[in-house]
Amino acid sequence: MSGFFQRLQQLDPRRQQAFMAALCERLLPNYRLYAETAGHGDPHGMRVILDLVWEQLAVKEARIDFDRQAEKLAELEPPAEDDSFGARRALEAVVALSALLDILRGEAPEAVLEVSRTSRSGVRAFIELTEGEEDATRLDKLIRDHPLMADENDFQDAVLEAVEAGALDREALKALRRLGRNDGVSNLGLSAD
């Protein structure tokens, strides 16, 4: 994994942003499912902010106030008192998008690693919840070998390879966005459709 994180850190900021945006796309269905089941949150608001990020990536001259977007995003967090599984996964989507806004605002050199780890930790939590294994050693092996974790690792590898390859022109960004959308299926294998 360390080689993977090294490659992430060696990307130029725009490629890091594209990587993070694709991962955020894949986290959005978790947020949408939470909002639909809990009645909290605003999936459309999340979508709008992420769309602005893609616009910034595609149109260099785009003038977007990401400080304002960060303020809007903070309002979309699940209520602090909601400690449900769904709320934690929804919060991961907010945290990932927030890290992406931080990097767009010129802060947070570690943001790309944070988004990668956030997505993986959500998968880990889901496997822990669904498998219910008490033994830590067995649980670690179960998580390592689990199809969802394999899928997450393959997905992040594919996104990294896509952002490392060639120019990030409009077509490449469109393809990356499609990859991130993953046919509406989140990193947990869930779909809000």
Side-chain angles (χ1 to χ4, degrees):
M1 198 57 69
S2 59
F4 177 86
F5 288 131
Q6 262 175 326
R7 283 165 61 201
L8 272 185
Q9 286 186 294
Q10 286 164 352
L11 294 171
D12 65 56
R14 186 162 172 269
R15 290 178 192 277
Q16 287 186 349
Q17 292 158 18
F19 175 87
M20 293 161 72
L23 265 61
C24 286
E25 282 290 347
R26 197 158 173 255
L27 292 171
L28 275 191
N30 295 337
Y31 184 93
R32 197 163 64 239
L33 278 168
Y34 167 75
E36 286 169 6
T37 53
H40 293 295
D42 176 8
H44 176 72
M46 293 281 285
R47 172 83 269 151
V48 167
I49 294 170
L50 188 50
D51 286 347
L52 288 172
V53 170
W54 286 110
E55 184 183 330
Q56 181 73 52
L57 284 166
V59 184
K60 286 188 178 56
E61 304 76 45
R63 291 279 161 256
I64 296 162
D65 182 351
F66 284 112
D67 291 326
R68 178 74 192 104
Q69 296 311 315
E71 287 167 20
K72 287 182 183 173
L73 182 61
E75 295 162 15
L76 303 181
E77 281 187 21
E81 63 277 6
D82 187 346
D83 193 34
S84 67
F85 183 82
R88 290 197 301 267
R89 303 298 72 85
L91 184 60
E92 284 165 359
V94 174
V95 163
L97 190 47
S98 178
L100 177 48
L101 293 182
D102 286 346
I103 207 172
L104 283 160
R105 289 162 28 189
E107 305 154 18
E110 295 289 306
V112 69
L113 301 182
E114 184 186 344
V115 172
S116 172
R117 290 187 182 118
T118 296
S119 187
R120 279 184 224 276
S121 71
V123 174
R124 183 185 178 92
F126 187 71
I127 296 167
E128 285 174 2
L129 179 81
T130 53
E131 300 295 337
E133 174 58 70
E134 297 300 315
D135 181 294
T137 313
R138 279 209 298 265
L139 181 63
D140 281 343
K141 182 176 177 358
L142 190 74
I143 289 169
R144 252 195 330 273
D145 300 341
H146 199 282
L148 271 179
M149 190 54 85
D151 184 56
E152 175 67 14
N153 291 332
D154 290 347
F155 173 77
Q156 289 203 25
D157 285 342
V159 173
L160 179 56
E161 284 164 21
V163 297
E164 284 175 335
L168 269 187
D169 57 18
R170 274 184 185 275
E171 285 312 304
L173 287 168
K174 269 190 201 152
L176 196 58
R177 194 172 185 172
R178 263 195 313 277
L179 179 63
R181 284 213 168 135
N182 200 37
D183 296 323
V185 178
S186 81
N187 62 334
L188 307 182
L190 303 174
S191 169
D193 298 330

